[in-house]
Amino acid sequence: MTISQQFPKPTQICANIVVIGAGLVGRLMALSLVNQGHQVTLIDKDNKQGHQSAAYAAAGLLTPLGEAMHSDRNIVEMGFESLALWPEILAKLDSYTYFQQAGTLMVSHEQDQGDYQRFMAYIKNHYPQHQLQQLNRQQILALEPELAHRFNHGLFLPEEGQIGNRKLLKALQKQLEKSSVTWLESSPVVNIEQQKSSCLVTYHGDSPLGNKGNKQTNTSKHIIAADLAIDCRGAGARNSAGENTAAPLKDLRGVRGEIFQLFAPEVNITRPIRLMHPRYQLYIAPKTNGFYVVGATEIESEDCAPMTVRSSMELLSAAYSVHAGFAEANIHQHISQLRPAFSDNQAKISLQNRLIQVNGLFRHGYLIAPVVLKQLEFTVAHFFECRSLTESPYHKWLAINEY
């Protein structure tokens, strides 16, 4: 039983709510709100495919222990809670998506044993309640047969999983299109102004004529008056993002991430693989139909230029060192995108009058999104029903700051 199943559902109150940003959290929140009976407008600078979002340029790893050495404890705990919540969320979607909880395998080459040993000791000391299995070559052969000739030992984390991030974005898109949500795509928000009885959201783009996104082409400014606005823009909400007058978050920065999407029909890996390395942790996330996502880089830069030669060489050579079949893989995409992060790399939710802002999910978007969603739902209930913030069962992990 998840924490949310032990907590009473909010009373249904119909309100006019604007959700700004149609990345992962924005889509989840818009769908949750409309299912609660609210009138919802979803506004985003991108089109409905969401290819400019950090959620699109991700691997969909649900690996709380894999992140443990580089994250605070609350991130790990939220990750395990989210693993239990994801099936509940996906069960409400009509379209196909991809979720598995078959564990992850961590490996290292013989010359890179230091980080591998430190990781194993850290998990045993700090998270003894979670399963960790040390594997020899024969046990790797049974788990991932094509990796056994490369590695003599590995760590199996059986509780971890993954989700098809792009399949999920498409499924959420289809579900929202079936709902009564008004979705304004290619419509950047340029101003957010709070008044006593409403929150005014100004955007450039098309003007809706009624529900379900019926619209006329008009690229001038438009203003929507809402009972409540929820800002889920990610890196787009940072203070340095152009001339941002739409409630910018000053402590927010963008952290560059890079991934390859490979088509490798000669590779048969069934679960996420992490390669421990002195400079980075490479991850290989199997998708469906022979596709894999390969990534590792985390660069303190707000540059979204194409991937560098150095990053490309490191990622691809590391993938080849795990499985020789990647030598013949086709490179379908290489993507650079900004992950939103605060200075402490913690996600934050703030409520100021009629504006809720959620941001800073960093590289943990899919890992903690269900918990963030539950806390957002509680924040909305707090706003309309005057519930105490400390009633939230998620408050210990993800506090709501009220101004």
Side-chain angles (χ1 to χ4, degrees):
M1 179 180 292
T2 62
I3 292 176
S4 64
Q5 293 171 323
Q6 305 170 35
F7 197 74
K9 300 292 183 183
T11 305
Q12 292 213 349
I13 296 174
C14 182
N16 178 15
I17 301 177
V18 171
V19 177
I20 307 167
L24 174 62
V25 174
R27 294 180 191 218
L28 288 172
M29 192 60 193
L31 188 59
S32 171
L33 291 169
V34 76
N35 287 340
Q36 293 177 43
H38 296 293
Q39 180 182 338
V40 181
T41 302
L42 179 60
I43 309 178
D44 194 64
K45 66 178 181 181
D46 199 0
N47 59 30
K48 291 183 178 181
Q49 284 68 49
H51 290 185
Q52 297 178 33
S53 69
Y56 181 80
L61 296 181
L62 308 177
T63 56
L65 290 181
E67 296 290 332
M69 278 193 70
H70 307 285
S71 305
D72 292 333
R73 191 175 188 89
N74 68 316
I75 299 295
V76 178
E77 292 174 347
M78 283 193 286
F80 279 109
E81 176 70 12
S82 293
L83 271 166
L85 289 171
W86 270 122
E88 299 175 17
I89 294 172
L90 301 180
K92 299 176 183 178
L93 302 179
D94 296 334
S95 300
Y96 167 76
T97 189
Y98 172 70
F99 172 86
Q100 73 167 6
Q101 195 172 356
T104 62
L105 178 63
M106 305 196 74
V107 294
S108 70
H109 296 295
E110 291 300 321
Q111 67 271 22
D112 300 326
Q113 284 292 294
D115 285 333
Y116 177 87
Q117 295 294 338
R118 279 191 291 272
F119 175 82
M120 182 169 57
Y122 184 87
I123 298 302
K124 286 183 176 180
N125 291 333
H126 292 82
Y127 299 96
Q129 73 275 28
H130 293 289
Q131 300 179 52
L132 174 68
Q133 300 175 16
Q134 299 182 57
L135 307 183
N136 57 30
R137 184 188 290 270
Q138 285 301 117
Q139 290 168 319
I140 294 175
L141 179 65
L143 196 68
E144 293 289 349
E146 296 188 3
L147 300 186
H149 70 287
R150 291 274 176 133
F151 302 100
N152 294 320
H153 50 259
L155 293 176
F156 181 49
L157 309 174
E159 298 172 88
E160 301 195 322
Q162 66 178 130
I163 197 166
N165 58 304
R166 296 183 182 180
K167 291 181 183 295
L168 176 59
L169 291 177
K170 289 180 182 178
L172 288 169
Q173 176 188 339
K174 291 179 181 179
Q175 202 76 25
L176 287 164
E177 289 172 340
K178 292 178 184 177
S179 74
S180 60
V181 169
T182 299
W183 192 335
L184 303 177
E185 57 181 325
S186 304
S187 302
V189 169
V190 294
N191 192 49
I192 299 173
E193 180 184 348
Q194 298 209 55
Q195 297 188 341
K196 185 176 181 180
S197 60
S198 65
C199 186
L200 303 181
V201 179
T202 305
Y203 66 95
H204 284 292
D206 296 326
S207 177
L209 297 174
N211 291 331
K212 290 194 177 284
N214 298 320
K215 58 190 179 182
Q216 63 185 9
T217 300
N218 187 338
T219 56
S220 61
K221 286 185 179 181
H222 304 279
I223 299 177
I224 296 178
D227 298 314
L228 182 68
I230 304 175
D231 183 359
C232 309
R233 285 176 295 167
R238 68 195 190 283
N239 194 44
S240 59
E243 296 180 2
N244 190 352
T245 60
L249 295 168
K250 296 180 180 180
D251 187 36
L252 190 69
R253 74 191 195 280
V255 180
R256 178 183 171 96
E258 302 173 342
I259 64 163
F260 276 102
Q261 186 191 56
L262 306 179
F263 177 61
E266 296 184 16
V267 177
N268 292 288
I269 296 173
T270 61
R271 54 180 51 78
I273 307 297
R274 284 182 181 265
L275 175 67
M276 305 297 289
H277 187 276
R279 292 194 305 276
Y280 51 79
Q281 282 190 38
L282 176 89
Y283 57 78
I284 300 172
K287 299 301 180 177
T288 54
N289 303 317
F291 284 93
Y292 295 83
V293 170
V294 176
T297 50
E298 179 184 305
I299 304 168
E300 284 293 340
S301 169
E302 295 196 340
D303 181 12
C304 259
M307 193 179 299
T308 65
V309 170
R310 177 179 178 179
S311 291
S312 302
M313 291 178 64
E314 287 192 345
L315 284 175
L316 295 178
S317 63
Y320 172 74
S321 77
V322 173
H323 195 301
F326 284 117
E328 302 301 322
N330 299 123
I331 300 174
H332 271 229
Q333 284 183 315
H334 51 89
I335 303 176
S336 304
Q337 191 51 264
L338 296 183
R339 301 157 175 165
F342 291 106
S343 57
D344 59 0
N345 294 336
Q346 287 281 343
K348 291 180 174 59
I349 296 175
S350 63
L351 171 60
Q352 184 176 13
N353 300 325
R354 294 180 176 270
L355 174 64
I356 298 173
Q357 292 179 285
V358 55
N359 219 309
L361 275 69
F362 192 32
R363 63 171 184 262
H364 308 127
Y366 287 91
L367 180 65
I368 66 173
V371 169
V372 173
L373 174 66
K374 292 295 182 181
Q375 187 70 319
L376 272 175
E377 291 173 342
F378 187 88
T379 311
V380 173
H382 163 75
F383 177 82
F384 288 113
E385 303 170 28
C386 299
R387 289 189 177 184
S388 170
L389 291 175
T390 57
E391 290 182 37
S392 168
Y394 306 101
H395 193 264
K396 61 181 178 180
W397 295 325
L398 189 64
I400 305 167
N401 298 315
E402 188 170 16
Y403 302 99

